[in-house]
PDB file of all heavy atoms in Angstrom:
ATOM      1  N   LEU A  46     -14.720   5.927  -7.975  1.00 96.00           N
ATOM      2  CA  LEU A  46     -14.310   5.129  -6.815  1.00 96.00           C
ATOM      3  C   LEU A  46     -12.834   5.275  -6.546  1.00 96.00           C
ATOM      4  O   LEU A  46     -12.003   4.888  -7.374  1.00 96.00           O
ATOM      5  CB  LEU A  46     -14.679   3.661  -7.013  1.00 96.00           C
ATOM      6  CG  LEU A  46     -16.195   3.347  -6.991  1.00 96.00           C
ATOM      7  CD1 LEU A  46     -16.433   1.878  -7.317  1.00 96.00           C
ATOM      8  CD2 LEU A  46     -16.749   3.691  -5.610  1.00 96.00           C
ATOM      9  N   ALA A  47     -12.498   5.872  -5.416  1.00 92.00           N
ATOM     10  CA  ALA A  47     -11.108   6.188  -5.080  1.00 92.00           C
ATOM     11  C   ALA A  47     -10.549   5.193  -4.088  1.00 92.00           C
ATOM     12  O   ALA A  47     -11.327   4.554  -3.304  1.00 92.00           O
ATOM     13  CB  ALA A  47     -11.030   7.605  -4.501  1.00 92.00           C
ATOM     14  N   PHE A  48      -9.262   5.039  -4.105  1.00 86.00           N
ATOM     15  CA  PHE A  48      -8.603   4.041  -3.272  1.00 86.00           C
ATOM     16  C   PHE A  48      -8.590   4.436  -1.772  1.00 86.00           C
ATOM     17  O   PHE A  48      -8.655   3.584  -0.905  1.00 86.00           O
ATOM     18  CB  PHE A  48      -7.133   3.833  -3.731  1.00 86.00           C
ATOM     19  CG  PHE A  48      -6.398   2.725  -3.050  1.00 86.00           C
ATOM     20  CD1 PHE A  48      -6.789   1.417  -3.210  1.00 86.00           C
ATOM     21  CD2 PHE A  48      -5.308   3.017  -2.214  1.00 86.00           C
ATOM     22  CE1 PHE A  48      -6.103   0.402  -2.575  1.00 86.00           C
ATOM     23  CE2 PHE A  48      -4.630   1.987  -1.580  1.00 86.00           C
ATOM     24  CZ  PHE A  48      -5.012   0.681  -1.778  1.00 86.00           C
ATOM     25  N   ASN A  49      -8.541   5.737  -1.490  1.00 87.00           N
ATOM     26  CA  ASN A  49      -8.572   6.190  -0.116  1.00 87.00           C
ATOM     27  C   ASN A  49      -9.154   7.619  -0.027  1.00 87.00           C
ATOM     28  O   ASN A  49      -9.441   8.277  -1.054  1.00 87.00           O
ATOM     29  CB  ASN A  49      -7.148   6.173   0.503  1.00 87.00           C
ATOM     30  CG  ASN A  49      -6.129   6.918  -0.352  1.00 87.00           C
ATOM     31  OD1 ASN A  49      -6.431   7.985  -0.829  1.00 87.00           O
ATOM     32  ND2 ASN A  49      -4.935   6.359  -0.494  1.00 87.00           N
ATOM     33  N   LYS A  50      -9.299   8.098   1.200  1.00 88.00           N
ATOM     34  CA  LYS A  50      -9.917   9.416   1.426  1.00 88.00           C
ATOM     35  C   LYS A  50      -9.087  10.523   0.840  1.00 88.00           C
ATOM     36  O   LYS A  50      -9.623  11.568   0.433  1.00 88.00           O
ATOM     37  CB  LYS A  50     -10.147   9.637   2.923  1.00 88.00           C
ATOM     38  CG  LYS A  50     -11.252   8.788   3.510  1.00 88.00           C
ATOM     39  CD  LYS A  50     -11.487   9.062   4.980  1.00 88.00           C
ATOM     40  CE  LYS A  50     -12.608   8.247   5.578  1.00 88.00           C
ATOM     41  NZ  LYS A  50     -12.789   8.499   7.023  1.00 88.00           N
ATOM     42  N   ALA A  51      -7.754  10.367   0.876  1.00 85.00           N
ATOM     43  CA  ALA A  51      -6.846  11.419   0.366  1.00 85.00           C
ATOM     44  C   ALA A  51      -7.142  11.679  -1.100  1.00 85.00           C
ATOM     45  O   ALA A  51      -7.166  12.841  -1.562  1.00 85.00           O
ATOM     46  CB  ALA A  51      -5.423  11.016   0.555  1.00 85.00           C
ATOM     47  N   ILE A  52      -7.381  10.616  -1.879  1.00 88.00           N
ATOM     48  CA  ILE A  52      -7.683  10.734  -3.295  1.00 88.00           C
ATOM     49  C   ILE A  52      -9.065  11.386  -3.456  1.00 88.00           C
ATOM     50  O   ILE A  52      -9.281  12.204  -4.350  1.00 88.00           O
ATOM     51  CB  ILE A  52      -7.604   9.393  -4.022  1.00 88.00           C
ATOM     52  CG1 ILE A  52      -6.168   8.829  -3.950  1.00 88.00           C
ATOM     53  CG2 ILE A  52      -8.048   9.520  -5.480  1.00 88.00           C
ATOM     54  CD1 ILE A  52      -6.022   7.473  -4.541  1.00 88.00           C
ATOM     55  N   VAL A  53     -10.034  10.996  -2.621  1.00 90.00           N
ATOM     56  CA  VAL A  53     -11.369  11.592  -2.650  1.00 90.00           C
ATOM     57  C   VAL A  53     -11.238  13.135  -2.500  1.00 90.00           C
ATOM     58  O   VAL A  53     -11.807  13.904  -3.261  1.00 90.00           O
ATOM     59  CB  VAL A  53     -12.302  11.039  -1.560  1.00 90.00           C
ATOM     60  CG1 VAL A  53     -13.591  11.834  -1.448  1.00 90.00           C
ATOM     61  CG2 VAL A  53     -12.597   9.583  -1.820  1.00 90.00           C
ATOM     62  N   ASN A  54     -10.498  13.547  -1.512  1.00 89.00           N
ATOM     63  CA  ASN A  54     -10.305  14.971  -1.233  1.00 89.00           C
ATOM     64  C   ASN A  54      -9.661  15.724  -2.412  1.00 89.00           C
ATOM     65  O   ASN A  54      -9.968  16.885  -2.646  1.00 89.00           O
ATOM     66  CB  ASN A  54      -9.521  15.187   0.059  1.00 89.00           C
ATOM     67  CG  ASN A  54     -10.256  14.704   1.271  1.00 89.00           C
ATOM     68  OD1 ASN A  54     -11.463  14.640   1.321  1.00 89.00           O
ATOM     69  ND2 ASN A  54      -9.493  14.343   2.307  1.00 89.00           N
ATOM     70  N   GLU A  55      -8.751  15.004  -3.075  1.00 88.00           N
ATOM     71  CA  GLU A  55      -8.037  15.620  -4.191  1.00 88.00           C
ATOM     72  C   GLU A  55      -8.944  15.695  -5.397  1.00 88.00           C
ATOM     73  O   GLU A  55      -8.860  16.697  -6.185  1.00 88.00           O
ATOM     74  CB  GLU A  55      -6.784  14.735  -4.540  1.00 88.00           C
ATOM     75  CG  GLU A  55      -6.011  15.231  -5.752  1.00 88.00           C
ATOM     76  CD  GLU A  55      -4.961  14.251  -6.196  1.00 88.00           C
ATOM     77  OE1 GLU A  55      -4.608  13.344  -5.416  1.00 88.00           O
ATOM     78  OE2 GLU A  55      -4.488  14.396  -7.336  1.00 88.00           O
ATOM     79  N   VAL A  56      -9.805  14.746  -5.615  1.00 90.00           N
ATOM     80  CA  VAL A  56     -10.533  14.622  -6.886  1.00 90.00           C
ATOM     81  C   VAL A  56     -11.919  15.289  -6.821  1.00 90.00           C
ATOM     82  O   VAL A  56     -12.388  15.854  -7.846  1.00 90.00           O
ATOM     83  CB  VAL A  56     -10.695  13.126  -7.275  1.00 90.00           C
ATOM     84  CG1 VAL A  56     -11.689  12.967  -8.430  1.00 90.00           C
ATOM     85  CG2 VAL A  56      -9.350  12.561  -7.649  1.00 90.00           C
ATOM     86  N   VAL A  57     -12.595  15.250  -5.711  1.00 90.00           N
ATOM     87  CA  VAL A  57     -14.011  15.633  -5.633  1.00 90.00           C
ATOM     88  C   VAL A  57     -14.291  17.012  -6.183  1.00 90.00           C
ATOM     89  O   VAL A  57     -15.293  17.215  -6.878  1.00 90.00           O
ATOM     90  CB  VAL A  57     -14.542  15.477  -4.155  1.00 90.00           C
ATOM     91  CG1 VAL A  57     -13.897  16.524  -3.229  1.00 90.00           C
ATOM     92  CG2 VAL A  57     -16.043  15.565  -4.156  1.00 90.00           C
ATOM     93  N   GLY A  58     -13.414  17.969  -5.958  1.00 91.00           N
ATOM     94  CA  GLY A  58     -13.633  19.313  -6.463  1.00 91.00           C
ATOM     95  C   GLY A  58     -13.400  19.510  -7.966  1.00 91.00           C
ATOM     96  O   GLY A  58     -13.751  20.525  -8.525  1.00 91.00           O
ATOM     97  N   LYS A  59     -12.772  18.490  -8.577  1.00 92.00           N
ATOM     98  CA  LYS A  59     -12.436  18.556  -9.982  1.00 92.00           C
ATOM     99  C   LYS A  59     -13.521  17.923 -10.853  1.00 92.00           C
ATOM    100  O   LYS A  59     -13.552  18.163 -12.091  1.00 92.00           O
ATOM    101  CB  LYS A  59     -11.108  17.875 -10.267  1.00 92.00           C
ATOM    102  CG  LYS A  59      -9.942  18.452  -9.507  1.00 92.00           C
ATOM    103  CD  LYS A  59      -8.646  17.673  -9.728  1.00 92.00           C
ATOM    104  CE  LYS A  59      -7.485  18.235  -8.948  1.00 92.00           C
ATOM    105  NZ  LYS A  59      -6.230  17.467  -9.114  1.00 92.00           N
ATOM    106  N   LEU A  60     -14.395  17.128 -10.262  1.00 94.00           N
ATOM    107  CA  LEU A  60     -15.424  16.458 -11.035  1.00 94.00           C
ATOM    108  C   LEU A  60     -16.543  17.379 -11.481  1.00 94.00           C
ATOM    109  O   LEU A  60     -16.856  18.317 -10.772  1.00 94.00           O
ATOM    110  CB  LEU A  60     -15.988  15.287 -10.196  1.00 94.00           C
ATOM    111  CG  LEU A  60     -15.108  14.087 -10.014  1.00 94.00           C
ATOM    112  CD1 LEU A  60     -15.635  13.186  -8.878  1.00 94.00           C
ATOM    113  CD2 LEU A  60     -14.954  13.304 -11.302  1.00 94.00           C
ATOM    114  N   PRO A  61     -17.166  17.087 -12.626  1.00 93.00           N
ATOM    115  CA  PRO A  61     -18.299  17.926 -13.070  1.00 93.00           C
ATOM    116  C   PRO A  61     -19.541  17.687 -12.223  1.00 93.00           C
ATOM    117  O   PRO A  61     -19.647  16.703 -11.496  1.00 93.00           O
ATOM    118  CB  PRO A  61     -18.493  17.428 -14.529  1.00 93.00           C
ATOM    119  CG  PRO A  61     -17.916  16.047 -14.575  1.00 93.00           C
ATOM    120  CD  PRO A  61     -16.785  16.010 -13.587  1.00 93.00           C
ATOM    121  N   PRO A  62     -20.497  18.584 -12.332  1.00 93.00           N
ATOM    122  CA  PRO A  62     -21.788  18.404 -11.600  1.00 93.00           C
ATOM    123  C   PRO A  62     -22.454  17.091 -11.942  1.00 93.00           C
ATOM    124  O   PRO A  62     -22.378  16.597 -13.037  1.00 93.00           O
ATOM    125  CB  PRO A  62     -22.613  19.593 -12.097  1.00 93.00           C
ATOM    126  CG  PRO A  62     -21.623  20.594 -12.586  1.00 93.00           C
ATOM    127  CD  PRO A  62     -20.513  19.820 -13.161  1.00 93.00           C
ATOM    128  N   GLY A  63     -23.118  16.540 -10.931  1.00 92.00           N
ATOM    129  CA  GLY A  63     -23.809  15.269 -11.109  1.00 92.00           C
ATOM    130  C   GLY A  63     -22.973  14.055 -10.741  1.00 92.00           C
ATOM    131  O   GLY A  63     -23.500  12.904 -10.763  1.00 92.00           O
TER     132      GLY A  63
END
Side-chain angles (χ1 to χ4, degrees):
L46 289 176
F48 187 66
N49 54 41
K50 288 182 180 179
I52 296 175
V53 170
N54 294 334
E55 177 190 344
V56 169
V57 68
K59 300 176 182 178
L60 287 166

